[in-house]
mmCIF file with all atom_site columns, all heavy atoms in Angstrom:
data_model
loop_
_atom_site.group_PDB
_atom_site.id
_atom_site.type_symbol
_atom_site.label_atom_id
_atom_site.label_alt_id
_atom_site.label_comp_id
_atom_site.label_asym_id
_atom_site.label_entity_id
_atom_site.label_seq_id
_atom_site.pdbx_PDB_ins_code
_atom_site.Cartn_x
_atom_site.Cartn_y
_atom_site.Cartn_z
_atom_site.occupancy
_atom_site.B_iso_or_equiv
_atom_site.pdbx_formal_charge
_atom_site.auth_seq_id
_atom_site.auth_comp_id
_atom_site.auth_asym_id
_atom_site.auth_atom_id
_atom_site.pdbx_PDB_model_num
ATOM 1   N N   . LEU A 1 4  ? 52.649 81.860 106.630 1.00 98.00 ? 24 LEU A N   1
ATOM 2   C CA  . LEU A 1 4  ? 52.410 82.500 105.345 1.00 98.00 ? 24 LEU A CA  1
ATOM 3   C C   . LEU A 1 4  ? 52.068 81.398 104.359 1.00 98.00 ? 24 LEU A C   1
ATOM 4   O O   . LEU A 1 4  ? 52.831 80.438 104.213 1.00 98.00 ? 24 LEU A O   1
ATOM 5   C CB  . LEU A 1 4  ? 53.655 83.253 104.885 1.00 98.00 ? 24 LEU A CB  1
ATOM 6   C CG  . LEU A 1 4  ? 54.110 84.412 105.788 1.00 98.00 ? 24 LEU A CG  1
ATOM 7   C CD1 . LEU A 1 4  ? 55.507 84.881 105.410 1.00 98.00 ? 24 LEU A CD1 1
ATOM 8   C CD2 . LEU A 1 4  ? 53.126 85.561 105.699 1.00 98.00 ? 24 LEU A CD2 1
ATOM 9   N N   . VAL A 1 5  ? 50.928 81.532 103.710 1.00 98.00 ? 25 VAL A N   1
ATOM 10  C CA  . VAL A 1 5  ? 50.461 80.480 102.805 1.00 98.00 ? 25 VAL A CA  1
ATOM 11  C C   . VAL A 1 5  ? 50.122 81.103 101.456 1.00 98.00 ? 25 VAL A C   1
ATOM 12  O O   . VAL A 1 5  ? 49.158 81.864 101.334 1.00 98.00 ? 25 VAL A O   1
ATOM 13  C CB  . VAL A 1 5  ? 49.239 79.749 103.371 1.00 98.00 ? 25 VAL A CB  1
ATOM 14  C CG1 . VAL A 1 5  ? 48.771 78.676 102.383 1.00 98.00 ? 25 VAL A CG1 1
ATOM 15  C CG2 . VAL A 1 5  ? 49.554 79.132 104.729 1.00 98.00 ? 25 VAL A CG2 1
ATOM 16  N N   . GLU A 1 6  ? 50.939 80.744 100.449 1.00 98.00 ? 26 GLU A N   1
ATOM 17  C CA  . GLU A 1 6  ? 50.708 81.239 99.101  1.00 98.00 ? 26 GLU A CA  1
ATOM 18  C C   . GLU A 1 6  ? 49.717 80.349 98.358  1.00 98.00 ? 26 GLU A C   1
ATOM 19  O O   . GLU A 1 6  ? 49.612 79.147 98.631  1.00 98.00 ? 26 GLU A O   1
ATOM 20  C CB  . GLU A 1 6  ? 52.013 81.282 98.297  1.00 98.00 ? 26 GLU A CB  1
ATOM 21  C CG  . GLU A 1 6  ? 53.113 82.160 98.862  1.00 98.00 ? 26 GLU A CG  1
ATOM 22  C CD  . GLU A 1 6  ? 54.048 81.394 99.787  1.00 98.00 ? 26 GLU A CD  1
ATOM 23  O OE1 . GLU A 1 6  ? 53.634 80.320 100.299 1.00 98.00 ? 26 GLU A OE1 1
ATOM 24  O OE2 . GLU A 1 6  ? 55.182 81.853 100.010 1.00 98.00 ? 26 GLU A OE2 1
ATOM 25  N N   . SER A 1 7  ? 49.034 80.953 97.402  1.00 98.00 ? 27 SER A N   1
ATOM 26  C CA  . SER A 1 7  ? 48.114 80.209 96.541  1.00 98.00 ? 27 SER A CA  1
ATOM 27  C C   . SER A 1 7  ? 47.983 80.952 95.225  1.00 98.00 ? 27 SER A C   1
ATOM 28  O O   . SER A 1 7  ? 48.425 82.097 95.095  1.00 98.00 ? 27 SER A O   1
ATOM 29  C CB  . SER A 1 7  ? 46.747 80.051 97.207  1.00 98.00 ? 27 SER A CB  1
ATOM 30  O OG  . SER A 1 7  ? 46.176 81.316 97.463  1.00 98.00 ? 27 SER A OG  1
ATOM 31  N N   . GLY A 1 8  ? 47.376 80.265 94.243  1.00 98.00 ? 28 GLY A N   1
ATOM 32  C CA  . GLY A 1 8  ? 47.088 80.913 92.970  1.00 98.00 ? 28 GLY A CA  1
ATOM 33  C C   . GLY A 1 8  ? 48.012 80.541 91.833  1.00 98.00 ? 28 GLY A C   1
ATOM 34  O O   . GLY A 1 8  ? 47.809 80.971 90.705  1.00 98.00 ? 28 GLY A O   1
ATOM 35  N N   . GLY A 1 9  ? 49.044 79.752 92.132  1.00 98.00 ? 29 GLY A N   1
ATOM 36  C CA  . GLY A 1 9  ? 49.945 79.350 91.061  1.00 98.00 ? 29 GLY A CA  1
ATOM 37  C C   . GLY A 1 9  ? 49.283 78.386 90.092  1.00 98.00 ? 29 GLY A C   1
ATOM 38  O O   . GLY A 1 9  ? 48.192 77.871 90.337  1.00 98.00 ? 29 GLY A O   1
ATOM 39  N N   . GLY A 1 10 ? 49.953 78.155 88.977  1.00 98.00 ? 30 GLY A N   1
ATOM 40  C CA  . GLY A 1 10 ? 49.422 77.230 87.973  1.00 98.00 ? 30 GLY A CA  1
ATOM 41  C C   . GLY A 1 10 ? 50.080 77.433 86.632  1.00 98.00 ? 30 GLY A C   1
ATOM 42  O O   . GLY A 1 10 ? 51.098 78.127 86.515  1.00 98.00 ? 30 GLY A O   1
ATOM 43  N N   . LEU A 1 11 ? 49.477 76.820 85.620  1.00 98.00 ? 31 LEU A N   1
ATOM 44  C CA  . LEU A 1 11 ? 49.980 76.901 84.256  1.00 98.00 ? 31 LEU A CA  1
ATOM 45  C C   . LEU A 1 11 ? 49.256 78.014 83.505  1.00 98.00 ? 31 LEU A C   1
ATOM 46  O O   . LEU A 1 11 ? 48.017 78.088 83.522  1.00 98.00 ? 31 LEU A O   1
ATOM 47  C CB  . LEU A 1 11 ? 49.755 75.566 83.550  1.00 98.00 ? 31 LEU A CB  1
ATOM 48  C CG  . LEU A 1 11 ? 50.123 75.487 82.064  1.00 98.00 ? 31 LEU A CG  1
ATOM 49  C CD1 . LEU A 1 11 ? 51.619 75.699 81.858  1.00 98.00 ? 31 LEU A CD1 1
ATOM 50  C CD2 . LEU A 1 11 ? 49.684 74.139 81.488  1.00 98.00 ? 31 LEU A CD2 1
ATOM 51  N N   . VAL A 1 12 ? 50.020 78.862 82.859  1.00 98.00 ? 32 VAL A N   1
ATOM 52  C CA  . VAL A 1 12 ? 49.447 79.974 82.102  1.00 98.00 ? 32 VAL A CA  1
ATOM 53  C C   . VAL A 1 12 ? 50.244 80.139 80.811  1.00 98.00 ? 32 VAL A C   1
ATOM 54  O O   . VAL A 1 12 ? 51.451 79.859 80.781  1.00 98.00 ? 32 VAL A O   1
ATOM 55  C CB  . VAL A 1 12 ? 49.440 81.269 82.951  1.00 98.00 ? 32 VAL A CB  1
ATOM 56  C CG1 . VAL A 1 12 ? 50.841 81.669 83.358  1.00 98.00 ? 32 VAL A CG1 1
ATOM 57  C CG2 . VAL A 1 12 ? 48.737 82.402 82.245  1.00 98.00 ? 32 VAL A CG2 1
ATOM 58  N N   . GLN A 1 13 ? 49.573 80.577 79.776  1.00 98.00 ? 33 GLN A N   1
ATOM 59  C CA  . GLN A 1 13 ? 50.248 80.777 78.488  1.00 98.00 ? 33 GLN A CA  1
ATOM 60  C C   . GLN A 1 13 ? 51.033 82.088 78.489  1.00 98.00 ? 33 GLN A C   1
ATOM 61  O O   . GLN A 1 13 ? 50.686 83.037 79.216  1.00 98.00 ? 33 GLN A O   1
ATOM 62  C CB  . GLN A 1 13 ? 49.216 80.794 77.363  1.00 98.00 ? 33 GLN A CB  1
ATOM 63  C CG  . GLN A 1 13 ? 48.556 79.457 77.110  1.00 98.00 ? 33 GLN A CG  1
ATOM 64  C CD  . GLN A 1 13 ? 47.686 79.470 75.859  1.00 98.00 ? 33 GLN A CD  1
ATOM 65  O OE1 . GLN A 1 13 ? 47.236 80.520 75.419  1.00 98.00 ? 33 GLN A OE1 1
ATOM 66  N NE2 . GLN A 1 13 ? 47.460 78.291 75.283  1.00 98.00 ? 33 GLN A NE2 1
ATOM 67  N N   . PRO A 1 14 ? 52.074 82.147 77.682  1.00 98.00 ? 34 PRO A N   1
ATOM 68  C CA  . PRO A 1 14 ? 52.807 83.420 77.538  1.00 98.00 ? 34 PRO A CA  1
ATOM 69  C C   . PRO A 1 14 ? 51.855 84.542 77.143  1.00 98.00 ? 34 PRO A C   1
ATOM 70  O O   . PRO A 1 14 ? 50.963 84.346 76.313  1.00 98.00 ? 34 PRO A O   1
ATOM 71  C CB  . PRO A 1 14 ? 53.809 83.108 76.426  1.00 98.00 ? 34 PRO A CB  1
ATOM 72  C CG  . PRO A 1 14 ? 54.027 81.641 76.517  1.00 98.00 ? 34 PRO A CG  1
ATOM 73  C CD  . PRO A 1 14 ? 52.698 81.053 76.907  1.00 98.00 ? 34 PRO A CD  1
ATOM 74  N N   . GLY A 1 15 ? 52.047 85.696 77.776  1.00 98.00 ? 35 GLY A N   1
ATOM 75  C CA  . GLY A 1 15 ? 51.165 86.825 77.555  1.00 98.00 ? 35 GLY A CA  1
ATOM 76  C C   . GLY A 1 15 ? 49.976 86.866 78.476  1.00 98.00 ? 35 GLY A C   1
ATOM 77  O O   . GLY A 1 15 ? 49.260 87.877 78.531  1.00 98.00 ? 35 GLY A O   1
ATOM 78  N N   . GLY A 1 16 ? 49.768 85.792 79.209  1.00 98.00 ? 36 GLY A N   1
ATOM 79  C CA  . GLY A 1 16 ? 48.625 85.706 80.111  1.00 98.00 ? 36 GLY A CA  1
ATOM 80  C C   . GLY A 1 16 ? 48.862 86.376 81.446  1.00 98.00 ? 36 GLY A C   1
ATOM 81  O O   . GLY A 1 16 ? 49.910 86.995 81.689  1.00 98.00 ? 36 GLY A O   1
ATOM 82  N N   . SER A 1 17 ? 47.866 86.260 82.310  1.00 98.00 ? 37 SER A N   1
ATOM 83  C CA  . SER A 1 17 ? 47.903 86.874 83.637  1.00 98.00 ? 37 SER A CA  1
ATOM 84  C C   . SER A 1 17 ? 47.600 85.849 84.702  1.00 98.00 ? 37 SER A C   1
ATOM 85  O O   . SER A 1 17 ? 46.958 84.824 84.446  1.00 98.00 ? 37 SER A O   1
ATOM 86  C CB  . SER A 1 17 ? 46.871 88.015 83.720  1.00 98.00 ? 37 SER A CB  1
ATOM 87  O OG  . SER A 1 17 ? 47.143 89.039 82.801  1.00 98.00 ? 37 SER A OG  1
ATOM 88  N N   . LEU A 1 18 ? 48.071 86.171 85.905  1.00 98.00 ? 38 LEU A N   1
ATOM 89  C CA  . LEU A 1 18 ? 47.830 85.309 87.052  1.00 98.00 ? 38 LEU A CA  1
ATOM 90  C C   . LEU A 1 18 ? 47.902 86.178 88.292  1.00 98.00 ? 38 LEU A C   1
ATOM 91  O O   . LEU A 1 18 ? 48.678 87.153 88.334  1.00 98.00 ? 38 LEU A O   1
ATOM 92  C CB  . LEU A 1 18 ? 48.885 84.205 87.108  1.00 98.00 ? 38 LEU A CB  1
ATOM 93  C CG  . LEU A 1 18 ? 48.544 82.877 87.786  1.00 98.00 ? 38 LEU A CG  1
ATOM 94  C CD1 . LEU A 1 18 ? 47.334 82.223 87.136  1.00 98.00 ? 38 LEU A CD1 1
ATOM 95  C CD2 . LEU A 1 18 ? 49.755 81.946 87.726  1.00 98.00 ? 38 LEU A CD2 1
ATOM 96  N N   . ARG A 1 19 ? 47.106 85.852 89.294  1.00 98.00 ? 39 ARG A N   1
ATOM 97  C CA  . ARG A 1 19 ? 47.163 86.581 90.564  1.00 98.00 ? 39 ARG A CA  1
ATOM 98  C C   . ARG A 1 19 ? 47.488 85.609 91.675  1.00 98.00 ? 39 ARG A C   1
ATOM 99  O O   . ARG A 1 19 ? 46.743 84.649 91.904  1.00 98.00 ? 39 ARG A O   1
ATOM 100 C CB  . ARG A 1 19 ? 45.832 87.266 90.848  1.00 98.00 ? 39 ARG A CB  1
ATOM 101 C CG  . ARG A 1 19 ? 45.865 88.211 92.046  1.00 98.00 ? 39 ARG A CG  1
ATOM 102 C CD  . ARG A 1 19 ? 44.476 88.563 92.505  1.00 98.00 ? 39 ARG A CD  1
ATOM 103 N NE  . ARG A 1 19 ? 44.442 89.758 93.352  1.00 98.00 ? 39 ARG A NE  1
ATOM 104 C CZ  . ARG A 1 19 ? 43.478 89.997 94.236  1.00 98.00 ? 39 ARG A CZ  1
ATOM 105 N NH1 . ARG A 1 19 ? 42.496 89.143 94.416  1.00 98.00 ? 39 ARG A NH1 1
ATOM 106 N NH2 . ARG A 1 19 ? 43.513 91.114 94.950  1.00 98.00 ? 39 ARG A NH2 1
ATOM 107 N N   . LEU A 1 20 ? 48.579 85.870 92.360  1.00 98.00 ? 40 LEU A N   1
ATOM 108 C CA  . LEU A 1 20 ? 48.966 85.082 93.509  1.00 98.00 ? 40 LEU A CA  1
ATOM 109 C C   . LEU A 1 20 ? 48.484 85.748 94.780  1.00 98.00 ? 40 LEU A C   1
ATOM 110 O O   . LEU A 1 20 ? 48.416 86.977 94.862  1.00 98.00 ? 40 LEU A O   1
ATOM 111 C CB  . LEU A 1 20 ? 50.490 84.919 93.568  1.00 98.00 ? 40 LEU A CB  1
ATOM 112 C CG  . LEU A 1 20 ? 51.174 84.356 92.328  1.00 98.00 ? 40 LEU A CG  1
ATOM 113 C CD1 . LEU A 1 20 ? 52.672 84.174 92.597  1.00 98.00 ? 40 LEU A CD1 1
ATOM 114 C CD2 . LEU A 1 20 ? 50.542 83.070 91.856  1.00 98.00 ? 40 LEU A CD2 1
ATOM 115 N N   . SER A 1 21 ? 48.191 84.929 95.775  1.00 98.00 ? 41 SER A N   1
ATOM 116 C CA  . SER A 1 21 ? 47.810 85.431 97.086  1.00 98.00 ? 41 SER A CA  1
ATOM 117 C C   . SER A 1 21 ? 48.712 84.846 98.144  1.00 98.00 ? 41 SER A C   1
ATOM 118 O O   . SER A 1 21 ? 49.298 83.771 97.969  1.00 98.00 ? 41 SER A O   1
ATOM 119 C CB  . SER A 1 21 ? 46.356 85.052 97.404  1.00 98.00 ? 41 SER A CB  1
ATOM 120 O OG  . SER A 1 21 ? 45.467 85.609 96.466  1.00 98.00 ? 41 SER A OG  1
ATOM 121 N N   . CYS A 1 22 ? 48.824 85.552 99.245  1.00 98.00 ? 42 CYS A N   1
ATOM 122 C CA  . CYS A 1 22 ? 49.589 85.088 100.400 1.00 98.00 ? 42 CYS A CA  1
ATOM 123 C C   . CYS A 1 22 ? 48.762 85.425 101.633 1.00 98.00 ? 42 CYS A C   1
ATOM 124 O O   . CYS A 1 22 ? 48.538 86.603 101.932 1.00 98.00 ? 42 CYS A O   1
ATOM 125 C CB  . CYS A 1 22 ? 50.953 85.764 100.429 1.00 98.00 ? 42 CYS A CB  1
ATOM 126 S SG  . CYS A 1 22 ? 51.907 85.509 101.947 1.00 98.00 ? 42 CYS A SG  1
ATOM 127 N N   . ALA A 1 23 ? 48.311 84.386 102.331 1.00 98.00 ? 43 ALA A N   1
ATOM 128 C CA  . ALA A 1 23 ? 47.520 84.577 103.542 1.00 98.00 ? 43 ALA A CA  1
ATOM 129 C C   . ALA A 1 23 ? 48.428 84.511 104.751 1.00 98.00 ? 43 ALA A C   1
ATOM 130 O O   . ALA A 1 23 ? 49.191 83.544 104.915 1.00 98.00 ? 43 ALA A O   1
ATOM 131 C CB  . ALA A 1 23 ? 46.448 83.496 103.626 1.00 98.00 ? 43 ALA A CB  1
ATOM 132 N N   . ALA A 1 24 ? 48.348 85.532 105.584 1.00 98.00 ? 44 ALA A N   1
ATOM 133 C CA  . ALA A 1 24 ? 49.233 85.646 106.740 1.00 98.00 ? 44 ALA A CA  1
ATOM 134 C C   . ALA A 1 24 ? 48.461 85.427 108.029 1.00 98.00 ? 44 ALA A C   1
ATOM 135 O O   . ALA A 1 24 ? 47.294 85.805 108.151 1.00 98.00 ? 44 ALA A O   1
ATOM 136 C CB  . ALA A 1 24 ? 49.893 87.024 106.758 1.00 98.00 ? 44 ALA A CB  1
ATOM 137 N N   . SER A 1 25 ? 49.136 84.819 108.995 1.00 98.00 ? 45 SER A N   1
ATOM 138 C CA  . SER A 1 25 ? 48.559 84.639 110.318 1.00 98.00 ? 45 SER A CA  1
ATOM 139 C C   . SER A 1 25 ? 49.674 84.527 111.341 1.00 98.00 ? 45 SER A C   1
ATOM 140 O O   . SER A 1 25 ? 50.831 84.290 111.000 1.00 98.00 ? 45 SER A O   1
ATOM 141 C CB  . SER A 1 25 ? 47.664 83.390 110.356 1.00 98.00 ? 45 SER A CB  1
ATOM 142 O OG  . SER A 1 25 ? 48.406 82.233 110.056 1.00 98.00 ? 45 SER A OG  1
ATOM 143 N N   . GLY A 1 26 ? 49.301 84.712 112.614 1.00 97.00 ? 46 GLY A N   1
ATOM 144 C CA  . GLY A 1 26 ? 50.264 84.546 113.689 1.00 97.00 ? 46 GLY A CA  1
ATOM 145 C C   . GLY A 1 26 ? 51.080 85.773 114.014 1.00 97.00 ? 46 GLY A C   1
ATOM 146 O O   . GLY A 1 26 ? 51.997 85.708 114.847 1.00 97.00 ? 46 GLY A O   1
ATOM 147 N N   . PHE A 1 27 ? 50.790 86.881 113.341 1.00 97.00 ? 47 PHE A N   1
ATOM 148 C CA  . PHE A 1 27 ? 51.482 88.132 113.635 1.00 97.00 ? 47 PHE A CA  1
ATOM 149 C C   . PHE A 1 27 ? 50.599 89.291 113.163 1.00 97.00 ? 47 PHE A C   1
ATOM 150 O O   . PHE A 1 27 ? 49.604 89.077 112.461 1.00 97.00 ? 47 PHE A O   1
ATOM 151 C CB  . PHE A 1 27 ? 52.862 88.174 112.975 1.00 97.00 ? 47 PHE A CB  1
ATOM 152 C CG  . PHE A 1 27 ? 52.842 88.195 111.459 1.00 97.00 ? 47 PHE A CG  1
ATOM 153 C CD1 . PHE A 1 27 ? 53.003 89.386 110.753 1.00 97.00 ? 47 PHE A CD1 1
ATOM 154 C CD2 . PHE A 1 27 ? 52.673 87.015 110.737 1.00 97.00 ? 47 PHE A CD2 1
ATOM 155 C CE1 . PHE A 1 27 ? 52.986 89.398 109.366 1.00 97.00 ? 47 PHE A CE1 1
ATOM 156 C CE2 . PHE A 1 27 ? 52.659 87.020 109.356 1.00 97.00 ? 47 PHE A CE2 1
ATOM 157 C CZ  . PHE A 1 27 ? 52.812 88.215 108.664 1.00 97.00 ? 47 PHE A CZ  1
ATOM 158 N N   . THR A 1 28 ? 50.977 90.493 113.533 1.00 97.00 ? 48 THR A N   1
ATOM 159 C CA  . THR A 1 28 ? 50.217 91.679 113.129 1.00 97.00 ? 48 THR A CA  1
ATOM 160 C C   . THR A 1 28 ? 50.639 92.070 111.717 1.00 97.00 ? 48 THR A C   1
ATOM 161 O O   . THR A 1 28 ? 51.625 92.778 111.508 1.00 97.00 ? 48 THR A O   1
ATOM 162 C CB  . THR A 1 28 ? 50.432 92.831 114.114 1.00 97.00 ? 48 THR A CB  1
ATOM 163 O OG1 . THR A 1 28 ? 50.116 92.389 115.436 1.00 97.00 ? 48 THR A OG1 1
ATOM 164 C CG2 . THR A 1 28 ? 49.547 94.021 113.756 1.00 97.00 ? 48 THR A CG2 1
ATOM 165 N N   . PHE A 1 29 ? 49.882 91.571 110.764 1.00 98.00 ? 49 PHE A N   1
ATOM 166 C CA  . PHE A 1 29 ? 50.226 91.732 109.348 1.00 98.00 ? 49 PHE A CA  1
ATOM 167 C C   . PHE A 1 29 ? 50.409 93.198 108.981 1.00 98.00 ? 49 PHE A C   1
ATOM 168 O O   . PHE A 1 29 ? 51.355 93.548 108.268 1.00 98.00 ? 49 PHE A O   1
ATOM 169 C CB  . PHE A 1 29 ? 49.113 91.105 108.500 1.00 98.00 ? 49 PHE A CB  1
ATOM 170 C CG  . PHE A 1 29 ? 49.309 91.200 107.017 1.00 98.00 ? 49 PHE A CG  1
ATOM 171 C CD1 . PHE A 1 29 ? 50.258 90.419 106.373 1.00 98.00 ? 49 PHE A CD1 1
ATOM 172 C CD2 . PHE A 1 29 ? 48.542 92.071 106.250 1.00 98.00 ? 49 PHE A CD2 1
ATOM 173 C CE1 . PHE A 1 29 ? 50.425 90.491 104.995 1.00 98.00 ? 49 PHE A CE1 1
ATOM 174 C CE2 . PHE A 1 29 ? 48.701 92.158 104.879 1.00 98.00 ? 49 PHE A CE2 1
ATOM 175 C CZ  . PHE A 1 29 ? 49.658 91.366 104.246 1.00 98.00 ? 49 PHE A CZ  1
ATOM 176 N N   . SER A 1 30 ? 49.548 94.050 109.491 1.00 97.00 ? 50 SER A N   1
ATOM 177 C CA  . SER A 1 30 ? 49.567 95.449 109.079 1.00 97.00 ? 50 SER A CA  1
ATOM 178 C C   . SER A 1 30 ? 50.837 96.181 109.513 1.00 97.00 ? 50 SER A C   1
ATOM 179 O O   . SER A 1 30 ? 51.152 97.254 108.991 1.00 97.00 ? 50 SER A O   1
ATOM 180 C CB  . SER A 1 30 ? 48.344 96.181 109.635 1.00 97.00 ? 50 SER A CB  1
ATOM 181 O OG  . SER A 1 30 ? 48.303 96.083 111.040 1.00 97.00 ? 50 SER A OG  1
#
Side-chain angles (χ1 to χ4, degrees):
Chain A
L24 297 167
V25 179
E26 300 92 339
S27 60
L31 175 64
V32 60
Q33 291 188 337
S37 298
L38 206 58
R39 188 195 198 205
L40 306 184
S41 299
C42 170
S45 61
F47 66 100
T48 305
F49 179 73
S50 58

